[in-house]
């Protein structure tokens, strides 16, 4: 997904009830869950205030000559794998 000029990779299912986040929208640096009013910060995956479930898992992306590569093993900077 795109957050302004940035490309962000995240898990597809909402950690709350598994809603398909591919159907969500990106607004002002946040990914909005299509099923709930929860949203996730696309810098670190943190959930919006008022919700008590884990952060969204984000994955580092590396640009290379042959395209974009998703790094799944190390997680995202600032988050546990």
């Amino acid at each position: 997904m795109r957050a302004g000029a940035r490309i962000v990779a995240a898990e597809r299912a909402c950690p709350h009830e598994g809603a398909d986040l591919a159907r969500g929208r990106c607004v002002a640096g946040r990914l909005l869950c299509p099923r709930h009013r929860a949203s996730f910060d696309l810098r670190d995956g943190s959930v919006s205030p008022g919700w008590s479930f884990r952060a969204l898992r984000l994955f580092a992306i590396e640009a290379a000559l042959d395209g974009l590569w998703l790094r799944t093993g190390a997680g995202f900077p600032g988050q546990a794998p």
Side-chain angles (χ1 to χ4, degrees), residues 12-13 18-19 23 25 41-42:
R12 186 167 176 165
R23 295 176 172 241
R25 306 181 295 147
D41 190 314
L42 292 174

Side-chain angles (χ1 to χ4, degrees), residues 9-67:
E11 64 183 302
R12 186 167 176 165
C14 176
H16 181 230
E17 289 185 357
D20 185 357
L21 294 174
R23 295 176 172 241
R25 306 181 295 147
C26 293
V27 176
R30 301 193 68 82
L31 173 59
L32 307 176
C33 177
R35 188 179 298 166
H36 309 99
R37 293 189 176 259
S39 67
F40 302 92
D41 190 314
L42 292 174
R43 293 172 296 176
D44 62 7
S46 60
V47 66
S48 51
W51 295 93
S52 59
F53 52 91
R54 70 169 172 78
L56 185 68
R57 287 187 189 105
L58 302 178
F59 302 97
I61 294 178
E62 295 179 19
L65 294 176
D66 58 346

